[in-house]
Amino acid sequence: MLAIAILAAGKGTRMKSNLPKVLHHLAGKSLIDRVLSCTQRLRPNRRLIVVGHQANLVEDSLKNQQDLEFVLQQPQNGTGHAIQQLSSKLKGFNGELLVLNGDVPLLKEETLSSLLKFHKESNASVTFLTATLDSPTGYGRVLTDKSGLVKEIIEERDCTDEQRKNKLINAGIYCFDWQQLSDILNLLSSQNSQNELYLTDTISLLKKAIHFEIDDPFEIKGINDRYQLSECENYIQERLKSLWMSKGVSFIDPVSCSISEDSNFGIDIIIEPQTHLRGKCNIGNGCHLGPGSVITNSTLSENVLAIHSFINEATIGNNTSIGPFAHIRPESNISKNSKIGNFVEIKKSSIGEGTKINHLSYIGDSTLGKNINIGAGTITANFDGKNKHRTIIDDYSKTGANSVLVAPINIGSNVTIGAGSTISKDIPDKTLVVERSKAIIRTKNN
Ligand code: UD1
Ligand code: CA
């Protein structure tokens, strides 16, 4: 039997934040989400989350996850105190308890599997992850005897100068024999510099404590402050970008770009400086993104060009050119061979094949057919102060510069609208329409 407990009750004082630490994000995913996602394939029988500081925010953020048991720790009196709260929940439980820190987000599932395997083979009371770090600052130091058995973990602030030089650190990931742990849990004392009950003190109370040292120190990096958060972000970004470079994506200035783990790319894609992909994006072969574009939860087919533009929850067809300075908003679908030019905003609209909206327009709640030419400054007036209305324009129509189309409205196919017109009624196919007041021309006196 396997139970997993994730410690997520602490305030995260060093983050200096109103948000609980475990809800801070790394490459678009919260720390706690990341820790949870490496537990799934271990097939635990129970998953318990210890919450405390802003417990409801943490619980809320996980409401879509199944089979989680939340355990409240109030007040937060240390990591040992956090585990004491599990006693009644795990009464009678017989098996391993895997304890994960909610602020160690880069951990790999394979490492946890190896830890569990090693623990069972060694018949230990506890096995925990360690690493040898060049700069061990901030971590608990692990003291071993000559045979390699662990004697003690001492928190950095409780170390002597000599002990502090020890570079073997505690990663905060433990596999306990629950029965043995629960027998000694009440023996913890708070005689330390923080007056807290430390989980690390259970190590010297248990019969056989061993450690499992891992090679990649980044994997067990704990996040206590925003600097460490940014180090982890860089680490993830670096790995993601090199992966996609090896698969055919060029980054002109990779350091200035970020991509999300849930995005997918084809080949021969060029990503220019200051370009960011967020959420779940699918980017087809030959796309050229940036400089300066931000693309979120969107699908771009092949050879799409997007310069200095924001594209959010949209679908863009082949050979389409977006920007510079375009804003494509959610639920927009731009078909192939079209062009969305500078200072154009598209919202909840479908744009047909080969249609061009080249300059300074707002197209909202609209359905545009194919090969339409939208003149500079054309606006769909979609909002009457209360409700939103749709604009429909059929194939091959043209709007002149500064046209205002007052929705709800249907413009037929092959219609030409004269520049400066405000159109507020439906226009039939194959017509020319101009709505413009007469120019008054007078001779001036001076
Ligand atoms: C802890 C370890 C340290 C280890 C380091 C690894 C202890 C005493 N120290 O130190 O040896 O090197 O992790 O990253 O365990 N939490 C609770 N309730 C509490 C206090 C904390 O749930 O009362 C949670 C926090 O939300 C956090 C985790 O436990 O997710 C670790 O707490 P933190 O205060 O960051 O411990 P460290 O000082 O980093
Ligand atoms: Ca920590």
Side-chain angles (χ1 to χ4, degrees):
M1 293 284 266
L2 173 67
I4 298 183
I6 300 178
L7 303 187
K11 179 164 188 264
T13 315
R14 290 165 277 184
M15 293 299 280
K16 306 271 188 319
S17 173
N18 288 327
L19 201 65
K21 174 164 68 179
V22 295
L23 293 190
H24 282 259
H25 280 76
L26 267 184
K29 254 192 212 159
S30 74
L31 302 186
I32 185 92
D33 247 357
R34 285 180 176 276
V35 177
L36 266 171
S37 63
C38 70
T39 65
Q40 251 134 19
R41 276 193 284 149
L42 300 174
R43 306 240 203 107
N45 305 84
R46 316 266 301 261
R47 288 196 297 174
L48 304 115
I49 317 281
V50 183
V51 290
H53 177 71
Q54 292 184 308
N56 44 358
L57 283 186
V58 179
E59 282 186 42
D60 254 20
S61 82
L62 300 174
K63 62 174 181 280
N64 294 332
Q65 302 253 4
Q66 279 166 359
D67 305 325
L68 296 182
E69 300 171 58
F70 292 97
V71 181
L72 191 66
Q73 182 199 12
Q74 208 66 273
Q76 294 84 47
N77 205 7
T79 48
H81 180 245
I83 295 297
Q84 284 179 346
Q85 312 311 305
L86 303 180
S87 291
S88 59
K89 282 256 179 194
L90 291 180
K91 210 173 176 94
F93 175 80
N94 201 342
E96 275 77 43
L97 174 70
L98 180 65
V99 176
L100 308 178
N101 271 359
D103 64 350
V104 181
L106 300 182
L107 202 62
K108 293 194 193 114
E109 203 165 63
E110 305 90 78
T111 307
L112 291 178
S113 303
S114 310
L115 171 70
L116 284 170
K117 189 161 172 272
F118 185 69
H119 173 79
K120 284 183 193 157
E121 285 167 2
S122 323
N123 209 10
S125 321
V126 58
T127 311
F128 60 99
L129 288 185
T130 55
T132 302
L133 299 188
D134 289 338
S135 15
T137 311
Y139 292 95
R141 306 297 205 278
V142 180
L143 307 190
T144 53
D145 65 17
K146 286 203 181 89
S147 68
L149 282 182
V150 179
K151 287 199 299 197
E152 207 178 345
I153 300 176
I154 308 183
E155 287 310 290
E156 181 171 77
R157 56 178 97 212
D158 301 312
C159 279
T160 62
D161 287 348
E162 203 47 42
Q163 287 167 335
R164 209 167 286 133
K165 287 186 194 146
N166 180 354
K167 294 184 168 173
L168 187 65
I169 63 98
N170 166 32
I173 314 293
Y174 320 77
C175 182
F176 289 100
D177 176 296
W178 168 250
Q179 295 285 314
Q180 294 186 45
L181 176 65
S182 57
D183 284 348
I184 53 108
L185 256 186
N186 285 331
L187 304 179
L188 293 177
S189 100
S190 55
Q191 277 171 2
N192 50 53
S193 61
Q194 295 192 93
N195 295 319
E196 285 184 351
L197 299 175
Y198 287 168
L199 184 59
T200 45
D201 286 347
T202 59
I203 301 298
S204 42
L205 295 168
L206 286 163
K207 237 182 10 227
K208 182 177 177 189
I210 57 175
H211 69 105
F212 184 73
E213 188 170 348
I214 62 164
D215 297 334
D216 179 5
F218 246 101
E219 200 187 323
I220 47 95
K221 196 160 178 62
I223 293 181
N224 298 311
D225 57 35
R226 291 178 193 254
Y227 184 76
Q228 288 166 329
L229 187 70
S230 81
E231 282 181 315
C232 285
E233 180 79 42
N234 288 341
Y235 175 80
I236 295 178
Q237 286 300 328
E238 169 74 37
R239 275 196 318 181
L240 270 177
K241 284 178 275 191
S242 352
L243 171 78
W244 286 111
M245 284 184 217
S246 75
K247 293 184 173 193
V249 179
S250 289
F251 288 86
I252 305 300
D253 176 21
V255 178
S256 73
C257 298
S258 63
I259 58 179
S260 56
E261 281 164 321
D262 293 337
S263 289
N264 269 300
F265 300 84
I267 58 166
D268 291 325
I269 290 167
I270 296 181
I271 300 189
E272 296 234 35
Q274 305 285 1
T275 294
H276 305 279
L277 288 112
R278 297 176 177 160
K280 202 174 165 66
C281 294
N282 281 304
I283 310 295
N285 296 345
C287 285
H288 191 138
L289 311 179
S293 291
V294 179
I295 301 171
T296 310
N297 293 325
S298 293
T299 296
L300 278 55
S301 298
E302 301 195 348
N303 303 316
V304 173
L305 181 66
I307 308 175
H308 276 295
S309 291
F310 278 63
I311 301 175
N312 188 8
E313 292 179 23
T315 308
I316 317 283
N318 292 342
N319 306 316
T320 288
S321 158
I322 311 280
F325 310 110
H327 187 185
I328 316 293
R329 293 172 50 198
E331 295 181 55
S332 293
N333 181 6
I334 319 270
S335 303
K336 64 183 177 184
N337 302 325
S338 42
K339 181 156 186 343
I340 310 297
N342 39 207
F343 307 107
V344 172
E345 176 179 345
I346 310 276
K347 186 214 96 177
K348 212 175 181 177
S349 293
S350 158
I351 310 295
E353 254 181 76
T355 286
K356 295 186 170 58
I357 310 170
N358 275 332
H359 337 261
L360 303 151
S361 278
Y362 171 65
I363 304 294
D365 303 303
S366 302
T367 303
L368 272 55
K370 61 184 179 188
N371 296 314
I372 289 168
N373 199 315
I374 298 291
T378 296
I379 304 291
T380 55
N382 60 333
F383 187 47
D384 62 12
K386 248 190 180 164
N387 297 305
K388 299 279 168 64
H389 302 282
R390 294 203 68 79
T391 297
I392 296 171
I393 308 178
D394 273 353
D395 304 347
Y396 300 102
S397 289
K398 296 184 182 71
T399 67
N402 244 21
S403 304
V404 176
L405 311 176
V406 182
I409 189 167
N410 271 288
I411 311 283
S413 65
N414 203 358
V415 168
T416 298
I417 295 175
S421 302
T422 296
I423 307 294
S424 51
K425 60 179 180 195
D426 292 352
I427 308 294
D429 297 348
K430 283 196 187 167
T431 49
L432 168 71
V433 53
V434 187
E435 198 274 353
R436 197 182 288 164
S437 46
K438 259 192 199 152
I440 299 167
I441 304 175
R442 288 204 186 112
T443 309
K444 293 200 279 182
N445 295 334
N446 51 1

